[in-house]
Amino acid sequence: MGDIIQLLPDHVANQIAAGEVVQRPASVIKELVENAIDAGSNSIQVVIKDAGKTLIQVVDNGKGMSLTDARMSFERHATSKIKQAEDLFKLKTKGFRGEALASIAAISHVELKTKPDNEEVGTFIKIEGSKLTSQDVCVCPQGTSVSVKNLFYNIPARRNFLKSDAVETRHIIDEFQRTALAHPQISFSLVHNNSELFQLPETNHRQRITNIFGGKTNEKLVPVTEETEIVEISGFVGKPEFAKKSRGEQFFFVNNRFVKSPYLNHAVVSAFEGLLKDKSHPSYFLFLKVDPKSIDINIHPTKTEIKFDDEHALYAILRSAIKHSLGQFNVAPVLDFDRDSNLDTPYEYKNKSAEVPGVEVDRNFNPFKDEKSGSGSNFSSGFKKERGESWESLYTGLQTEHELKPDADFKEIEFESEEVTGNLFNNSDSSEEKSTFQLQKKYIVSTLKSGILVIDQHRAHTRILYEELLKNITVSAAVSQQLLFPLNLQFNTQEIEVISQLKDSLEQTGFIFSELKKDSAEIVGIPTLISESEVAILLEQLIADFENDVPDNGFSQTDLLAKSLAKGMAVKSGTLLNNTEQQHIVNRLFACKEPGLSPTNRSVFVTLTVDELDKKFM
Ligand code: ADP
Ligand code: MG
């Protein structure tokens, strides 16, 4: 048999390398921006069209390249950043592999304009699929501009694999933010389809974080600093009460390079132990400086993973530095989420001497009266009112805005408790034959002709709301409640992106947005199904659910939206329901198209027939 092994031609080798370095438009931005930083720029502009699928352009004011360097820069393993293997361990630059430009040029149409400081004119080069198609002198400012057009034009499989513009834009924003956070002393801008997403002036770390994540971020940050022999830590963690449902704002930078490290993430999270609500994630922006000798960056082509010599020590130092900061800034001791906040003494009353509690009773309040009939969501609005205005919340002592009345009327208190007792044993209403009761504030138990029915209250309500929302979004818009004062909620750019994608559907459910700015949303109407105080949590949950993917297809988007909102609006287990509320749920559930399953396909109820019971007694 003859020899069969041969060297791959350069353009093929480059295409293969590109597979590792360039996964999506965001990877191109990362590489180009890193090159711009390595070139000593202090101002970097990024322009993209169609989520980078049509155009990605990065313009810098760095040191530029000579004609020869400009040609060389597209060769594989061509770099000015290291000369020998040992240099890998004293890296001060972002790049060093010398393969980014070669890889990018292998799979797109690239145009480069560059001019060093000391030259009169610059160089213009055009390369298509690794082939030089044009080279010329050009008049251009000092620095470099690289345009990458038609990414993956020669690898259809990769191009088809790209996600929707919304998703690719999110990846780009992620990448952009990471780099911008690491280099506050450089000004950055990002423009997408002619609209400016970010315009970040030169500043310090704290201000940069605020500029990216919105004005309200500043007050949420707790500084962290620590200096030891092996690491210098600076940066911020978010106060625990602002922890988010999504992991969006978690950043580690090692020697100004964004890295992912589940291990160090664990150190941070463990420093927050006992301070976070279930399933919420703290924000952090932590900058670690270590001796370049003590890390290996070259374990992954995209350089986002890193190997530390002394990971255990780093873990311990990081954890204790954060604990210290949280303690020092008095964040730690105040919070205890395991306690039932209903049992807490409201702040204002802690130091007051005992006074006779005043009680306000709404004598006209009738929980069985449907407040708003004719609205698109009878059940829920009626239900909401009952929950919101039940006797419990009428105790003024729990409502801090009410003044204590010194001369409280004792008769009213007695009257009130009579009402309560009356309520609990009230079987005299017309629904007697279909009576229900609640088990563990979690299940609604009802009798059937042939046995008993046990309903999971949360899942049942989720199913009801889900079908109602789907109908509202697709068929007839829901009624909204007008807010007296517009609600102004702060979001970051990414979150605003998601909201604007979903705006139309959200408006069908009853939200009315009067304004979507870069970092805030003004809301003047909300669905009748929710209260004003729930809006922020609901939208945050929604954004978290859409974090990884905004489906392209209209149906799955509506479906996900309805699922997410229904989950957030539905009564939770642990909520006490009165008889009418239980009945409402049961009746509405069985009017649903698919009462047996929650929107996420879990059982909503189980039945136990008399036959089955009989067997148990045999
Ligand atoms: P690496 O960054 O790993 O060296 P690249 O392929 O990204 O490899 O770039 C190759 C070389 O081209 C760099 O080492 C640098 O000398 C030069 N270069 C790339 N981009 C720029 C730029 N924006 N300004 C100046 N020089 C650049
Ligand atoms: Mg590079």
Side-chain angles (χ1 to χ4, degrees):
M1 189 174 130
D3 303 334
I4 51 170
I5 299 179
Q6 52 183 330
L7 278 176
L8 289 173
D10 265 357
H11 67 278
V12 180
N14 283 338
Q15 255 196 36
I16 293 172
E20 286 191 328
V21 182
V22 184
Q23 277 121 23
R24 49 177 16 122
S27 341
V28 174
I29 292 184
K30 173 180 193 299
E31 295 297 335
L32 296 182
V33 172
E34 288 190 350
N35 281 346
I37 294 170
D38 285 344
S41 320
N42 62 21
S43 166
I44 299 174
Q45 274 100 46
V46 182
V47 177
I48 54 173
K49 289 230 162 74
D50 305 321
K53 293 169 183 172
T54 314
L55 172 75
I56 297 164
Q57 184 178 20
V58 175
V59 184
D60 70 47
N61 63 354
K63 66 177 179 229
M65 285 178 267
S66 69
L67 169 63
T68 324
D69 280 352
R71 285 289 298 271
M72 267 298 276
S73 67
F74 290 98
E75 295 296 323
R76 205 141 70 95
H77 307 306
T79 180
S80 56
K81 298 170 193 174
I82 57 172
K83 294 204 165 66
Q84 45 199 5
E86 294 88 83
D87 296 346
L88 274 178
F89 301 98
K90 351 178 178 135
L91 281 175
K92 293 241 154 39
T93 53
K94 308 249 146 200
F96 55 86
R97 297 169 64 108
E99 56 186 7
L101 287 184
S103 300
I104 293 167
I107 51 170
S108 65
H109 299 162
V110 176
E111 290 175 24
L112 168 81
K113 278 185 192 166
T114 186
K115 185 178 94 68
D117 192 15
N118 50 1
E119 303 278 340
E120 283 291 298
V121 288
T123 305
F124 171 81
I125 283 178
K126 212 165 155 181
I127 297 186
E128 303 191 345
S130 297
K131 276 202 211 64
L132 181 82
T133 56
S134 139
Q135 178 183 325
D136 214 340
V137 289
C138 73
V139 179
C140 55
Q142 184 205 325
T144 303
S145 154
V146 184
S147 303
V148 176
K149 296 179 180 163
N150 310 322
L151 187 66
F152 297 132
Y153 79 100
N154 52 357
I155 319 180
R158 292 297 290 277
R159 192 158 173 100
N160 295 337
F161 185 71
L162 291 178
K163 295 266 179 80
S164 66
D165 282 9
V167 174
E168 294 301 340
T169 308
R170 293 199 57 133
H171 284 288
I172 289 171
I173 292 176
D174 279 347
E175 214 57 82
F176 177 86
Q177 288 180 341
R178 291 166 182 174
T179 321
L181 283 170
H183 298 276
Q185 72 291 356
I186 299 176
S187 70
F188 285 94
S189 68
L190 175 61
V191 173
H192 183 206
N193 292 342
N194 300 322
S195 83
E196 186 179 83
L197 295 183
F198 293 95
Q199 171 67 4
L200 306 171
E202 291 178 48
T203 177
N204 57 22
H205 273 138
R206 186 169 192 132
Q207 197 54 45
R208 176 60 53 97
I209 294 170
T210 308
N211 288 344
I212 292 181
F213 294 102
K216 284 266 164 77
T217 317
N218 194 24
E219 65 206 58
K220 303 179 187 170
L221 299 177
V222 179
V224 179
T225 48
E226 181 67 280
E227 252 179 70
T228 67
E229 295 238 308
I230 63 169
V231 61
E232 255 174 57
I233 302 172
S234 64
F236 305 89
V237 293
K239 292 181 186 162
E241 62 266 41
F242 297 110
K244 295 208 156 199
K245 289 251 157 71
S246 69
R247 291 169 184 275
E249 296 172 8
Q250 302 189 327
F251 299 89
F252 281 119
F253 300 90
V254 175
N255 298 351
N256 286 337
R257 188 190 297 276
F258 171 82
V259 298
K260 293 183 183 150
S261 170
Y263 185 68
L264 293 185
N265 175 64
H266 193 272
V268 178
V269 174
S270 77
F272 275 85
E273 202 183 317
L275 298 174
L276 295 172
K277 283 188 231 174
D278 258 6
K279 290 192 193 127
S280 64
H281 306 278
S283 309
Y284 55 82
F285 310 87
L286 294 166
F287 301 88
L288 278 53
K289 266 213 178 69
V290 297
D291 185 342
K293 278 207 272 315
S294 73
I295 49 175
D296 188 354
I297 304 161
N298 197 22
I299 56 171
H300 195 270
T302 61
K303 297 168 274 184
T304 45
E305 277 160 47
I306 206 170
K307 213 169 127 309
F308 298 97
D309 281 354
D310 200 350
E311 227 175 20
H312 293 306
L314 218 53
Y315 184 104
I317 296 168
L318 190 60
R319 181 165 183 266
S320 87
I322 294 170
K323 276 199 148 196
H324 180 76
S325 294
L326 289 174
Q328 197 180 12
F329 286 84
N330 247 340
V331 196
V334 198
L335 298 154
D336 182 356
F337 291 107
D338 287 329
R339 281 171 62 189
D340 182 352
S341 59
N342 291 324
L343 304 175
D344 279 353
T345 319
Y347 258 94
E348 288 85 328
Y349 299 118
K350 273 216 174 113
N351 305 320
K352 288 197 178 176
S353 56
E355 279 176 283
V356 183
V359 172
E360 259 189 17
V361 176
D362 178 0
R363 291 173 185 281
N364 297 322
F365 175 65
N366 174 358
F368 302 106
K369 195 175 75 191
D370 206 341
E371 291 262 318
K372 274 185 213 154
S373 45
S375 88
S377 46
N378 270 335
F379 159 71
S380 324
S381 48
F383 184 42
K384 193 77 217 173
K385 283 284 180 227
E386 284 159 48
R387 279 212 288 152
E389 296 179 13
S390 66
W391 60 272
E392 295 153 284
S393 62
L394 294 174
Y395 277 105
T396 47
L398 294 175
Q399 290 184 328
T400 48
E401 69 267 24
H402 288 230
E403 277 287 302
L404 281 180
K405 273 194 230 146
D407 52 346
D409 188 343
F410 278 95
K411 274 193 219 124
E412 288 192 343
I413 297 173
E414 270 164 32
F415 167 77
E416 186 67 14
S417 35
E418 258 172 30
E419 273 273 296
V420 177
T421 342
N423 238 341
L424 285 175
F425 299 98
N426 184 0
N427 282 330
S428 62
D429 72 63
S430 60
S431 55
E432 200 180 5
E433 74 273 22
K434 277 202 276 166
S435 73
T436 55
F437 67 90
Q438 204 186 7
L439 193 66
Q440 303 266 331
K441 296 192 196 152
K442 192 171 177 197
Y443 297 108
I444 300 170
V445 184
S446 170
T447 51
L448 299 167
K449 261 198 205 119
S450 57
I452 57 172
L453 174 72
V454 183
I455 300 171
D456 180 311
Q457 66 187 45
H458 173 70
R459 289 186 194 172
H461 199 202
T462 310
R463 160 56 63 182
I464 296 164
L465 294 173
Y466 167 72
E467 292 199 4
E468 191 168 322
L469 285 161
L470 269 188
K471 198 175 75 208
N472 288 337
I473 302 171
T474 51
V475 188
S476 59
V479 179
S480 43
Q481 40 173 326
Q482 215 75 29
L483 296 177
L484 209 50
F485 301 103
L487 199 60
N488 212 301
L489 299 177
Q490 305 282 321
F491 293 102
N492 64 39
T493 314
Q494 268 178 36
E495 295 169 337
I496 289 289
E497 280 278 312
V498 176
I499 292 178
S500 53
Q501 295 258 328
L502 299 176
K503 183 164 170 271
D504 290 349
S505 305
L506 281 170
E507 299 208 314
Q508 290 283 104
T509 70
F511 283 98
I512 305 171
F513 294 91
S514 52
E515 204 175 358
L516 282 186
K517 290 209 205 111
K518 251 158 79 183
D519 61 352
S520 66
E522 193 177 83
I523 300 172
V524 290
I526 59 176
T528 45
L529 302 79
I530 59 173
S531 69
E532 203 173 327
S533 60
E534 289 169 304
V535 175
I537 303 169
L538 213 62
L539 289 179
E540 197 191 299
Q541 176 67 55
L542 185 76
I543 290 164
D545 287 342
F546 277 84
E547 165 123 87
N548 297 317
D549 211 343
V550 179
D552 275 337
N553 141 350
F555 174 73
S556 23
Q557 178 170 321
T558 307
D559 191 59
L560 185 53
L561 179 76
K563 273 184 191 150
S564 173
L565 289 179
K567 180 177 63 184
M569 293 173 176
V571 283
K572 307 278 176 290
S573 51
T575 310
L576 186 68
L577 300 177
N578 68 26
N579 237 282
T580 321
E581 292 165 349
Q582 297 170 24
Q583 296 283 325
H584 262 307
I585 290 193
V586 178
N587 294 339
R588 295 286 308 223
L589 177 66
F590 290 102
C592 282
K593 288 204 188 101
E594 219 178 314
L597 289 177
S598 76
T600 47
N601 283 330
R602 319 262 287 275
S603 302
V604 173
F605 59 82
V606 292
T607 55
L608 193 57
T609 63
V610 175
D611 281 353
E612 283 163 333
L613 278 172
D614 285 347
K615 279 194 198 122
K616 288 193 191 295
F617 287 102
M618 284 216 288

